């Protein structure tokens, strides 16, 4: 069997990737442009991809293709309908970053809540040395304890974020689906949750239902002191509405690890926000602790081995 990894470079070299021994031919590419995919997978039995796009067109030319292993949770980069029509299996990997993503969420939240980036920047510029007191308190510092966190998404990641929030002494509320006719037990009406929250954490996938979930109307319902965290997927928050919220001072701060376009071009609306001290932006790395990446790979290799076993 031949396996082709289209974007091995999306994982650091220190992450060990060993495909099952039944795969005799393994070809790894650091990255693959859309116009290179068809040629590279035309004689592959198994294709591994993190974010490289596997379209219906390239699938039609890969006569030996039996399995596409997505090295991530989201499978929106694969034409699943084309795979189904050809009997090609598509597998993803879930629940590998249940520690990494929540920890990143709180790293960002604490940095915002305690104004860490501003203080660290001032210390590096020499401001502490010029202080007339043993410390300087130019930026407000606020505790998490006693505040309310609204969580959008009640899956594994949302529940883990909730556990950490409670450990900090926060009150946690899970928001029900936007526009739901009735509120489910254990959930709070979406609009009421927006009005109540001091911190909003988005931990749901991007779907037709969640695209643009947070826009101008939702920002108008939030407390001006609210902090918004999107460590999930770009597009769940309307980015132009987010810019408006900052310009109109209807939001105290936000932290994003994702965007609608990745990698993010310099003219992207979030790039301008990133110059503000109360907006933190990281390059889609919340999932990427060494431990999480190795766990992801190990799960994927086990799933590929199980697939091959079924063929025997």
């Amino acid at each position: 069997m031949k396996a082709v990894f289209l974007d091995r470079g999306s994982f650091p070299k220190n992450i060990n990737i060993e495909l099952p021994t039944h795969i005799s031919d393994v070809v790894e590419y650091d990255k693959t442009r859309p116009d290179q995919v068809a040629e590279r997978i035309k004689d592959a039995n198994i294709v591994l991809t993190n974010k490289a796009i596997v379209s219906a067109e390239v699938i039609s030319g890969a006569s030996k293709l039996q399995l596409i292993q997505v090295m991530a949770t989201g499978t929106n980069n694969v034409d699943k309908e084309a795979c189904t029509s050809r009997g090609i299996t598509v597998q993803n990997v879930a629940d590998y970053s249940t520690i990494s993503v929540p920890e990143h969420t709180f790293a960002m939240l604490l940095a915002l809540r305690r104004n860490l980036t501003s203080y660290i920047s001032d210390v590096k510029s020499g401001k502490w040395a010029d202080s007339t007191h043993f410390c300087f308190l130019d930026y407000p510092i606020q505790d998490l304890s006693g505040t309310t966190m609204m969580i959008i998404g009640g899956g594994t990641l949302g529940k883990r974020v909730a556990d950490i929030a409670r450990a900090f002494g926060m009150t946690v509320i899970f928001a029900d689906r936007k526009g739901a006719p009735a509120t489910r037990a254990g959930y709070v009406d979406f609009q009421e949750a927006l009005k109540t929250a001091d911190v909003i954490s988005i931990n749901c996938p991007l779907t037709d239902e969640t695209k643009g979930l947070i826009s101008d109307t939702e920002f108008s319902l939030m407390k001006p002191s609210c902090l918004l965290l999107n460590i999930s997927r770009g597009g769940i928050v309307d980015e132009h509405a987010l810019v408006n919220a900052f310009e109109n001072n209807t939001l105290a701060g936000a932290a994003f690890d994702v965007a609608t376009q990745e990698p993010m071009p310099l003219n992207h609306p979030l790039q301008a926000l990133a110059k503000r001290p109360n907006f933190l932006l990281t390059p889609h790395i919340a999932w990427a602790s060494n431990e999480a990446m190795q766990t992801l790979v190990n799960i994927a290799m086990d799933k590929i081995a199980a697939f091959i076993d079924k063929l025997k």
Side-chain angles (χ1 to χ4, degrees), residues 104-176:
H104 192 90
T105 299
F106 276 87
M108 300 278 266
L109 175 55
L110 286 165
L112 281 174
R113 192 75 178 171
R114 305 191 73 85
N115 265 303
L116 293 184
T117 56
S118 294
Y119 278 111
I120 291 169
S121 177
D122 281 0
V123 168
K124 288 181 178 180
S125 69
K127 189 169 183 176
W128 196 8
D130 297 331
S131 177
T132 56
H133 300 282
F134 74 97
C135 68
F136 60 93
L137 299 168
D138 289 6
Y139 313 101
I141 300 170
Q142 296 175 290
D143 296 332
L144 293 178
S145 181
T147 61
T148 297
M149 173 179 276
M150 168 188 176
I151 297 179
I152 301 174
T156 303
L157 291 176
K159 288 183 173 68
R160 179 61 177 164
V161 168
D163 289 341
I164 299 173
R166 294 187 187 104
F168 272 101
M170 303 177 76
T171 297
V172 174
I173 55 176
F174 283 92
D176 208 340

Side-chain angles (χ1 to χ4, degrees), residues 32-45:
T32 300
R33 299 192 312 268
D35 63 327
Q36 296 174 317
V37 176
E39 177 65 24
R40 290 181 174 181
I41 73 169
K42 65 181 182 181
D43 59 350
N45 304 103

Side-chain angles (χ1 to χ4, degrees), residues 150 152 178 190-202 212-230 236-238 241-242 245-246 248-254 256:
M150 168 188 176
I152 301 174
K178 182 179 176 180
F190 189 81
Q191 290 191 335
E192 287 304 313
L194 288 172
K195 296 174 184 177
T196 304
D198 299 298
V199 178
I200 299 171
S201 179
I202 298 174
L213 186 73
I214 303 293
S215 193
D216 290 314
T217 299
E218 288 69 40
F219 281 117
S220 70
L221 296 174
M222 297 177 193
K223 298 177 182 178
S225 58
C226 187
L227 299 177
L228 175 64
L229 313 172
N230 186 9
I236 296 175
V237 177
D238 182 317
L242 177 67
F246 271 94
N248 296 324
N249 295 314
T250 56
L251 186 69
F256 277 50

